């Protein structure tokens, strides 16, 4: 397919809509529950949506503003780090582990932001109609471009690891099967983001925008499917109530004298 199709502004526009809706839903949860993982996910998803807005506008206007690009590349590279931070806060038994990774992420973010706004851009790469990725910052392992590794590697590990752990935990109870499949979607979206980001860092950018859009759709679908743990808890409660009811009827029946059932009665049919 042509570069014009891969870099069409419609892909990042769809990603922006999905990402910002997702960020709003998670932030609404944070306002109610005040959980650290929801705050971290809200930041990561906000970065996701805003970075996609920059992509869409630059492709639509046929112009990549250097300042917009510098901010865009920092947000696009660091978002996985904040999403992974949210997963770490959720699964870690000790919250200080999340605090430690938060400090690491903020320091890496500050260094990357400084580098992105001080490095001389390769303007030959900053051209609409091709998917830029991080190429305009310089060679793959040059500063500050290599700083993306400090977000992509640990962030992907925590995000994917959290999804895999949740798949294992929820697969053990059928009442939570919906949560298992929700995390399958989240894991698939994470893998797609990590794969596309890794290719873009190496300079292989065709397909980046569509990959971002499909990844955001998978993540949002997983979030919506996961819903609340109350759904599974209610199903377990209903099953326990039913089992107790059956056991209670069995006990009552055992304590009563056996009476021959009349032909055609429901007791005889059971």
């Amino acid at each position: 397919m042509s570069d014009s199709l891969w870099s069409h502004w419609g892909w990042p526009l769809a990603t922006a809509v999905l990402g910002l809706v997702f960020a709003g839903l998670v932030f609404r949860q944070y306002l109610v529950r005040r959980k650290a993982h929801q705050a971290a996910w809200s930041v990561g998803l906000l970065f996701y949506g805003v970075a996609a807005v920059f992509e869409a506008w630059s492709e639509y206007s046929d112009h990549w503003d250097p300042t917009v690009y510098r901010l865009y590349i920092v947000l696009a590279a660091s978002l996985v780090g904040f999403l992974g931070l949210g997963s770490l806060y959720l699964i870690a038994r000790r919250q200080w582990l999340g605090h430690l990774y938060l400090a690491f992420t903020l320091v890496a973010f500050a260094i990357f932001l400084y580098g992105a706004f001080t490095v001389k851009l390769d303007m030959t790469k900053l051209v609409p109609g091709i998917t830029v990725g991080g190429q305009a910052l310089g060679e793959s392992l040059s500063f500050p471009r290599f700083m993306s590794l400090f977000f992509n590697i640990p962030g992907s590990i925590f995000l994917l690891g959290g999804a895999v752990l949740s798949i294992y935990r929820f697969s053990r109870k059928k009442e939570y099967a919906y949560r298992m499949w929700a995390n399958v979607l989240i894991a698939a979206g994470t893998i797609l983001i990590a794969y596309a980001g890794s290719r873009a860092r190496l300079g292989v950018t065709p397909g980046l925008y569509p990959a971002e859009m499909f990844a955001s759709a998978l993540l949002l679908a997983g979030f919506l499917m996961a819903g609340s743990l109350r759904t599974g808890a209610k199903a377990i409660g209903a099953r326990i109530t039913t089992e107790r009811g059956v056991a209670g009827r069995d006990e009552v029946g055992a304590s009563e004298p056996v009476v021959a059932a009349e032909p055609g009665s429901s007791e005889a049919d059971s």
Side-chain angles (χ1 to χ4, degrees):
M1 297 183 182
S2 65
D3 287 343
S4 61
L5 176 60
W6 289 125
S7 62
H8 191 274
W9 57 267
W11 295 110
L13 178 62
T15 301
V17 172
L18 291 169
L20 293 175
V21 167
F22 197 175
L25 291 172
V26 176
F27 185 67
R28 186 176 66 176
Q29 283 192 349
Y30 169 73
L31 292 177
V32 174
R33 302 175 188 173
R34 301 289 179 176
K35 299 295 184 180
H37 67 274
Q38 294 164 342
W41 282 340
S42 296
V43 172
L45 292 167
L46 179 62
F47 284 5
Y48 200 173
V50 172
V53 169
F54 290 157
E55 291 173 343
W57 174 251
S58 297
E59 296 296 345
Y60 176 77
S61 64
D62 200 33
H63 172 67
W64 264 108
D65 178 81
T67 301
V68 170
Y69 174 77
R70 294 176 194 274
L71 182 56
Y72 153 75
I73 200 63
V74 174
L75 297 182
S78 61
L79 65 91
V80 174
F82 285 95
L83 294 177
L85 173 64
S87 292
L88 180 60
Y89 269 126
L90 183 63
I91 64 177
R93 295 183 181 275
R94 294 175 176 82
Q95 196 173 48
W96 65 265
L97 292 173
H99 295 339
L100 185 63
Y101 182 54
L102 171 61
F104 169 83
T105 301
L106 291 176
V107 170
F109 183 86
I111 294 173
F112 193 17
L113 186 65
Y114 169 79
F117 273 85
T118 55
V119 72
K120 183 178 180 181
L121 298 180
D122 182 354
M123 300 304 294
T124 63
K125 300 292 187 180
L126 204 59
V127 179
I130 63 171
T131 310
V132 178
Q135 295 179 86
L137 288 181
E139 296 298 323
S140 179
L141 294 179
S142 63
F143 179 79
R145 192 173 173 186
F146 73 83
M147 290 299 300
S148 63
L149 296 174
F150 293 97
F151 303 106
N152 289 337
I153 294 177
S156 296
I157 290 174
F158 291 138
L159 187 57
L160 182 59
V164 171
L165 180 61
S166 295
I167 290 170
Y168 169 72
R169 287 176 174 173
F170 291 124
S171 67
R172 301 167 71 185
K173 291 185 177 181
K174 63 180 182 180
E175 288 85 359
Y176 287 103
Y178 68 101
R179 297 281 296 207
M180 181 191 71
W181 289 112
N183 280 280
V184 168
L185 293 176
I186 292 171
T190 302
I191 292 171
L192 186 55
I193 289 175
Y195 174 70
S198 298
R199 282 170 54 87
R201 189 179 59 80
L202 295 173
V204 185
T205 55
L208 175 62
Y209 290 169
E212 290 175 341
M213 191 276 288
F214 285 116
S216 61
L218 288 171
L219 291 171
L220 179 57
F223 173 81
L224 294 175
M225 181 182 290
S228 170
L229 286 172
R230 292 194 212 101
T231 302
K234 287 180 180 178
I236 290 176
R239 175 172 58 79
I240 292 174
T241 300
T242 301
E243 290 174 351
R244 286 177 177 174
V246 172
R249 289 196 299 271
D250 290 344
E251 290 174 3
V252 170
S255 64
E256 292 176 349
V258 178
V259 178
E262 295 180 359
S265 68
S266 60
E267 188 174 335
D269 292 336
S270 63

